[in-house]
Amino acid sequence: MGVLVPSETATLLRQAERVVIFTGAGISAESGVPTFRDALTGLWERFDAAALATPEAFQDDPALVWGWYEWRRSAVQRVRPNAGHEAVAAIEARVPSSVVVTQNVDDLHERAGSPAPLHLHGSLFAPRCSACAHPAPLPDGPAEEPADGRRVPPPGCARCSAPLRPGVVWFGEALPEAVFESAVEAASSCDLLLTVGTSGLVYPAAEIPRVAARFGAAVIQVNPQETPLDPVADVNLRGPAAQVLPALVE
Ligand code: BV8
Ligand code: ZN
């Protein structure tokens, strides 16, 4: 038997005309992508993810930071979107005005059929120049993980020859302005926001569900754990996204 969702939640979703689906690492967990707070696996467990995801770490040791992001990118390429990502794409197909706002840097929403998720924290698949932001090709290179995790950074920018960097937003860096503004605009004009698989701890992304609630939208949270977003949500569905979301869109 599938996960029970209160019927009034499914009705809320069916009646919604403008939906925002806000996702975090938890929606990719059942695809086998470790969440940000989980202990990183293998070689990387001795590192603190939040310490590696900073401009300082890149400054100090670009080869280590490139090794970490390319390891994560190859891990994402080896897995598949799960039923949670597919349910999100099904909601978008059904509700004409729906926007996916994700904190994730993987491409699983895209591979599940979401046409244009807003990536508040960038993407593992969009390296760019650290100086002029010119988009750069994905680095090719060894499939297996180098022994110490380091990998030789790709050659410099084709336009200005400055060093290339992973296309993600690091702690202490501003979010891409236009993307964040579109997310706030969508949250302030939706009638329902689904927040899925996020601990709601990282700002300013964590503002998005709060903006929706402030503008009168109904907020449904899907997370097996309690989070600081519990009081913001009208409904808290305590379960894994790959089970709860398909039950919601049945
Ligand atoms: C900025 C890309 C300013 C890189 C990421 C004190 C107070 C408030 C803010 C701050 C503060 N001190 C510092 C700050 C600012 C800081 C911040 O918020 N820190 C936090 C930790 C307190 N924010 C920043 O630095 C941001 N920038 O503020 O800039 C500025 C302004 C102008 C000009 C210059 C500067 C930038 C933040 C972006 C950082 N980059 N990612 C990378 O991926 O390597 S954030 C990274 O962590 C992820 O992208 C993700 O967003 C976040 C982790 O959050 P979640 O996605 O929620 O994942 P998490 O693991 O935490 O939780 C998983 C959840 O899933 C859990 O709840 C779990 O229960 C649930 N779950 C598990 N399994 C399932 C499930 N749910 C459903 N189904 C399941 N099966
Ligand atoms: Zn450049």
Side-chain angles (χ1 to χ4, degrees), residues 24-26 29-30 35-37 53 68-69 72 103-105 121 168-175 197-204 222-225 227 239-241:
E30 287 157 284
T35 66
F36 215 73
R37 282 174 217 289
W68 186 46
Y69 282 100
R72 288 173 60 189
Q103 300 171 85
N104 299 340
V105 294
H121 295 153
V168 298
V169 177
W170 283 322
F171 286 102
E173 290 189 319
L175 274 54
T198 181
S199 57
L201 295 171
V202 175
Y203 284 82
V222 177
N223 195 318
Q225 315 273 338
T227 76

Side-chain angles (χ1 to χ4, degrees), residues 22-44:
F22 178 66
T23 65
I27 197 167
S28 298
E30 287 157 284
S31 292
V33 178
T35 66
F36 215 73
R37 282 174 217 289
D38 284 351
L40 288 173
T41 54
L43 170 91
W44 299 98

Side-chain angles (χ1 to χ4, degrees), residues 134-229:
H134 188 58
L138 285 172
D140 49 22
E144 76 291 343
E145 194 176 304
D148 65 354
R150 280 178 177 73
R151 52 171 299 143
V152 175
C157 169
R159 189 160 68 178
C160 76
S161 73
L164 299 181
R165 58 166 285 172
V168 298
V169 177
W170 283 322
F171 286 102
E173 290 189 319
L175 274 54
E177 204 172 328
V179 175
F180 187 62
E181 275 169 15
S182 306
V184 170
E185 166 54 34
S188 56
S189 54
C190 70
D191 45 30
L192 173 67
L193 180 135
L194 259 176
T195 171
V196 183
T198 181
S199 57
L201 295 171
V202 175
Y203 284 82
E207 280 297 342
I208 296 299
R210 293 173 168 89
V211 165
R214 248 197 318 276
F215 279 82
V219 176
I220 299 171
Q221 177 172 227
V222 177
N223 195 318
Q225 315 273 338
E226 211 175 317
T227 76
L229 291 171

